[in-house]
Amino acid sequence: MAVHAEHLAHAHSESWIRKYVFSTDHKVIATQYIFTAYFMALLGGLLAALIRYQLGWGDQASPLLERLFPFGAQGGVIKPEFYLAIITIHGTILVFHFQTMMLTGGFGNYLIPLQIGARDMAFPVLNMLSYWVFLASCVVMLLSFLVEGGAAAAGWTVYPPLSVHAAAVAGSGLGQTIWLLSMALLIVATLMGGLNYIVTTLNLRTKGMSLMRLPLSTWGVFFASVIGLVTFPVLLAGAILLLLDRHLGTSFYMPTVYIGGQLVETRGGNPLLWQHLFWYLGHPEVYILAIPALGFIGDIIATFSRKPIFGYRLIIISFVVMTILSCIVWGHHMFTSGLNPYIAMVFSLLTILISVPFGTIILCYAATLWKGKIQFTTPMLFAIGFLSLVVTGGLGGLFLGTASTDLYLHDTAFVVGHFHVIMASSVLFAIFAATYYWFPKIFGRFMSESLGKWHFWLTFIGVYATFVPMHVMGLGGMMRRIYSPHAYQYLQQWVPWERVISIFGLILIGAQLLFVVNFFWSLFKGRRATDPNPWRANTLEWQTSSPPPHLNWGEEQPVVYRGPYEFSRPDTAEDYLPQNTPPVGVEVSGNGVR
Amino acid sequence: MAVSQQQASSRDRRTGFVLGVALWLFTLATLWLFGANLHKMPPPASDFAPQIDAILWVILGISVIGFVGLHLYLGWVALSRPAEVRAIYLPADRPKEWLWVLVPIGLLLVADLTFDHMSNKVWGAFFGKPPANAFEVEVTGQQFAWHVRYPGADGRFGRTNPRLISDENPIGLDLSDPAARDDILLINVMHVPEGRPVMIYLRSRDVLHSFFLPPMRIKMDCVPGYTTRMWFTPQRKGNYEIACAELCGMGHYNMKGLLVVEDEQAVQNWLAQQTPFSKRGQ
Amino acid sequence: MQTQTQPMQESVWAGGRSPFGIRWGKLMMWVFLLSDAFTFGGFLVIYGSVRVITPDWPDPSRVFALHLFGKEIPLLLIAFMTFVLISSSGTMALAVHAGYEGDRSRCARFLMLTILGGLTFLGCQAYEWTKLITEGVRPWGNPWGAPQFGAFFFTLTGFHGLHVLSGVIYLSAITRRVLKGVYARRGSYEGVEIAGLYWHFVDLVWVFIFTFFYLF
Amino acid sequence: MSAVHEATIVHGDVHQEPVINRPHPPTRVYLVVWGWLFVLSFGAYLVELISEATTLALPIKWSLLTVIGLMKAGLIVAYFMHMRFERLSLIYAILLPTLLVIALVAGLMPDAVSLISFWGHP
């Protein structure tokens, strides 16, 4: 079953362009994903800085702003329509173009074939196409800032009718069309990627890699892809209809309205339809992020506690339950929208029940730490930070999933705080942990530990100080997506809070510079990872050289004999036992098959 | 690795110490943040407000237990020195040990069902059969104002038609309907009686809005094409702000109205002073 | 030392082979079709939820009736289109069957018949669109009632027609490879089988559009 | 074997999966299924004609049509798409997720109903 030597050699004689730009090697594609997604993260972070600036000091003019954004901040003050465009694009690119693509397209792409002992994805050309479509989506999305009317400004949920009529808000002109096109491209890219991840995980596992020996990272990306595969197409259908509503005069979502001094005669449309279709993806999207994040963290926690993960099967069962539940709870985003109240009660109960599998996983991870020989490396710090944030954010979800308390808290800063802890921050922590952990594998060099630790502390403090107070403000009735908190009397007491949050938020964003510096410095100057398995981990990706060769393994694919987390066995000399170490008494024949 | 095992482990202990202390401090800070500021919530002013607040407190209590519990544990893990040379070995998947996880999760499930039950009661009241003697008001959202309509002396709202909307007739009131003649139409101001159920019909003439009354703890979206509704019984006199909670465009942040809760008599007197829409400008 | 390791499992899930007994290409097509089913499912569910609340929905059997021999026969064209698409599905199944048996020329002939069926279907659809447009059906309105009727007509049949069109192109490429003997050399006509899955799926979707849009 | 190998390398296929030849039915089965599809389609058309001529209650018409549609879909999936001859695992893996469409229906339809009965349609 060896790969032809010809083929191995053939791959190395390719031109530079074929090898690094239009490559079909999953590792190169993953790296391209990682760089692009981090670039989008940087832009999203800068937009966040603008949001925080506006909320903290929006009443003061700044000449610098005027120079930076002559179109959106005349007189040094951000205009409301520009602010709305900022929050829309901030949300969209950080959720979709950064986190989704980083977890599945980036790390998922890199890890799946390596962790299951395959040579590449099932369909490498499709994998490459997926990246290029994703890149097109990024470019198209960013172009929207340059068109007339500016970028889409209806919030990342683009609820119609606001997103249908150019007269409703400035960004609903060409910018909104571009947003929809970009999302359509992104959906196509996700689907192409997801097909590969699912089929590869199922079909191309190496000998002995049974499902119950898969590392949690692979499981996580697998489940995320499954969710994406059944929910993204529905949003695609919804987006097509929204485009038709905008440009062909159909009335799927549009009742007769009077916008901008003009009667728009569209009969019988139902704006709630879009909300259903959007959240049918939009809520599972959270789990498309959370499940791989949990998977990565599982790998990292096991490695640095030097312990088998507690309740591996329990975690997989919880993943399955979460996958199913996540697809049938979308209505909890619509409790106050005029949703049928009976169905809302069902949605509420199902939503609250998600705390059961979620809590199970967290407790399993916590139990993994118990009496472990914990090594506080940077990835491990981020992993523990992740556990802390996931609990904080998850508990916030109980308030919002309960229908009657959501009557009060819906669309307040509580929601913003909640999803920034559970989705933005905890997933970000997982991404950072994964980056620090797998950097030596991907680039063959270590990231700086001391810079990494500083990065962790500042980020951890920044996240807590920025997003936890938002919960309190939300309890105080502060609305989300408002351009300025000054208009209301009862919000006056929160104005100083906004300013403090802004200070911490800017510290948080600034701290990411440490990461950027660390990343690029380490890329060229970091300590070389001479040992292919520096963390002494068991999973297969660490059993090949760093960075792995083209087609991942030499002549033979590895054969797997045991689960991924055999740490600290009392009967082994070392405290780890790689998955492909043959047990004593098993003869390994020439082709690696027993 | 370049550093020796011993150096590494002493460095790990130091980092672990800092992490443990930090986690405990974060816990305290978060508790303080909530504890010291919850009184800043708008004081409850409707019959639903205390009920919703009660559920909030129950969930908050559960959250505090979970939050503090996990952080105490994480901090302890970080602070405690691993005494042995090796981590203890728990072979994967011994269902008996799963009880350590499943028992707390079972408790969580019980708590979940408890507050879901509490919530359903309030929800049922809010969306159930509206009270018979309710004081009725209709609110129509537009970018960026609230049109408040009272049914007038006959107690019936006149027909509206979106095709009649113009700058002069902001909600498209159909004046050929006799019931519409005495309808009173106001902008951004609403008076309601204390102690009597108030039924508000919510509509929108352009985009989504959300009629939000923080002291009443309720909000409901105004959806063009629909008539949604909400009801509550104001329990405290005073002037309150009406906010828009659903992004509705540029002026969303400034879409403010005034809600006045006063005596039934005062409301009637005030209404008597208003000119019906059909007689305006005559 | 490491005596406690489990013996290698011999279940189909144990790795080193496909648990479903099919190669990745075919599995990928299945999974793709699953996700595509959700796109169509989305459209049809939206259609359903609009249809049940729209009182003045035009009667499709009148709208799509044909005048023939001085009589109005409801849905005649649609019935013919259904006939054509099912037939092409049948020929596709036979092409796959011929592939299994390694009969290259029979496989190619049936594939060409399938393509012919697809083109006929597209032709009928073009005729239907033209007819309805000349009768005044637009995405934003129509002479008979609810404006969503036209909107859903164009969206559903358009999206399905797009699938038929891509199917025709896809099948043409496959036919070319069959004729060039690519599959014969490879010893497996799996490529034809995979294309067949796609084509049958297009037929499958039509079953639902036919039932829920035209007949309901 | 060498021909197979050559082909895989030409097409960039680095995976060493053997081609699996599974049992497939004789031609007759396809023709029978084909015939049934015609019969069922004609049946559906007949239901339409009958409901035109007489006043068939809508729910009866709708359920008849749905049943016929599902039968046709079942035949296509089972025989033309060879689902019947695949392993049970694949059948579950493909068919079970489609049940989520039911969730979509269950989520959207009550809303449509509440539009007419609860909130009031304009």
Side-chain angles (χ1 to χ4, degrees), chain A residues 316-331:
Chain A
I316 306 289
I317 295 168
S318 303
F319 275 171
V320 175
V321 176
M322 266 160 85
T323 301
I324 297 167
L325 276 181
S326 73
C327 294
I328 51 177
V329 296
W330 73 91

Side-chain angles (χ1 to χ4, degrees), chain A residues 168 258 265 312-313 336 341 355 366 373 376 388 404 407-408 410 487-490 493 566 569 572-573, chain B residues 12 40-41 71 73 77 85-86 89 93 97 112 119 123 143 163 205 214 219 221 224 241 245 255-256:
Chain A
Y258 184 85
E265 279 248 30
Y312 175 81
R313 267 163 211 270
T336 67
S355 66
K373 189 163 177 270
F376 291 101
S388 163
S404 54
L407 276 180
Y408 179 46
H410 186 71
Y488 292 91
Q489 200 58 45
Y490 80 101
Q493 55 178 338
E566 288 291 300
R569 284 175 68 116
T572 52
Chain B
D12 273 345
K40 290 186 181 161
M41 282 170 74
H71 278 81
Y73 171 76
V77 164
V85 188
R86 253 184 204 208
Y89 178 68
D93 294 333
E97 274 149 11
D112 282 354
S119 158
W123 190 258
Q143 286 178 325
R163 282 162 196 83
R205 69 173 224 196
K219 67 166 71 68
D221 281 14
E241 278 164 310
M255 185 167 165
K256 194 168 74 162

Side-chain angles (χ1 to χ4, degrees), chain B residues 184-205:
Chain B
I184 298 165
L185 190 62
L186 302 161
I187 192 158
N188 283 341
V189 63
M190 182 160 126
H191 287 232
V192 294
E194 186 202 6
R196 181 175 160 193
V198 176
M199 171 62 97
I200 304 180
Y201 297 96
L202 295 164
R203 318 179 53 169
S204 164
R205 69 173 224 196

